Amino acid sequence: MDLVIRTTAELAAVTTILLLILATPLAWWLARARHWSKEVVGALVSLPLILPPTVIGFYVLVALGPESPLMAPLHPFGIRTLAFTFEGLVIGSLFYSLPFAVQPLRTAFELIGDRPLEVAATMGAGPLDRFVTVAMPLARRGFLSAAILVFAHTVGEFGVVLMIGGAIPGETEVLSTRIYQLVESLDFAAAHRIAGGLVVFAFVTLLLLLLVERRWSVIER
């Protein structure tokens, strides 16, 4: 059980860190761009919110399979597939949790407005300097919300991780798939313990988000 918890926590932590890095420039572009294509990109980013997790898991599984052209460059290094590996779980989680990182960051960047950036520009700050020293600190609430949401959402994943990882004990088995296996084996008592723990985790996560929002609202006043 400890190994399952560790795998779940590692998956959530790695996914959160990578998504904060990858989603930040994307969210900034979506918040600041004036081109019509940003709505198309925004819709693509939001697709995981309405697509069944098994659909995402299936296509990621195919993309990471040995016959996929995406895997061909790795064949000379002895890597034929990333399916049913921890690395594959991370890739699938990045796609599935992407909107939970991009949306809070995009909203936070949009709320900054143009004025602080224009003031920084008049003081000689370049685009990168304005982003790092002005935009990111002002959007810190968005970063915190994104981190909490992505971590919690990744912990609760089921369809994607089952499709890509196969719930291999000691390698790709996480808490959500362990519950499924316990129910299949009719061990409802053990399933209740894990499910109850995840209910508590979800409640604490939502409460933390509400407290963060309330705290920043008071500070901004």
Side-chain angles (χ1 to χ4, degrees):
M1 186 61 184
D2 290 342
L3 188 55
V4 176
I5 296 175
R6 178 179 175 181
T7 301
T8 305
E10 287 180 353
L11 176 62
V14 172
T15 301
T16 300
I17 293 171
L18 290 179
L19 270 184
L20 287 179
I21 295 172
L22 297 173
T24 297
L26 176 57
W28 177 251
W29 181 79
L30 288 171
R32 305 294 299 177
R34 297 293 180 265
H35 196 269
W36 63 268
S37 62
K38 82 170 189 176
E39 301 305 333
V40 177
V41 176
L44 290 173
V45 168
S46 300
L47 268 180
L49 294 175
I50 58 175
L51 277 177
T54 49
V55 173
I56 299 173
F58 170 71
Y59 281 115
V60 174
L61 180 64
V62 172
L64 300 180
E67 304 302 323
S68 170
L70 297 177
M71 294 300 301
L74 298 179
H75 289 178
F77 302 97
I79 303 174
R80 297 193 57 81
T81 179
L82 290 177
F84 308 112
T85 66
F86 181 80
E87 292 77 12
L89 287 186
V90 171
I91 294 172
S93 297
L94 291 178
F95 281 103
Y96 189 47
S97 295
L98 181 62
F100 293 88
V102 172
Q103 298 299 345
L105 290 175
R106 179 180 180 178
T107 300
F109 286 142
E110 289 174 342
L111 290 175
I112 293 173
D114 295 328
R115 183 61 178 168
L117 300 173
E118 291 171 351
V119 172
T122 61
M123 299 177 66
L128 181 60
D129 192 21
R130 294 197 298 270
F131 176 72
V132 173
T133 62
V134 178
M136 289 185 67
L138 290 176
R140 55 190 179 275
R141 182 169 71 174
F143 280 96
L144 183 57
S145 296
I148 294 173
L149 283 172
V150 170
F151 190 92
H153 188 250
T154 304
V155 168
E157 287 181 24
F158 173 71
V160 171
V161 296
L162 184 62
M163 291 285 289
I164 300 172
I168 302 173
E171 295 184 32
T172 61
E173 186 182 21
V174 295
L175 288 172
S176 58
T177 55
R178 170 61 70 88
I179 294 174
Y180 177 75
Q181 292 173 331
L182 290 172
V183 172
E184 276 196 321
S185 62
L186 302 181
D187 190 350
F188 292 105
H192 271 304
R193 287 193 294 270
I194 301 176
L198 289 178
V199 169
V200 173
F201 174 76
F203 173 77
V204 171
T205 299
L206 291 173
L207 181 61
L208 181 59
L209 276 172
L210 292 173
L211 292 175
V212 168
E213 290 292 329
R214 182 175 181 179
R215 175 179 173 80
W216 285 111
S217 296
V218 171
I219 291 175
E220 289 172 356
R221 291 175 187 172

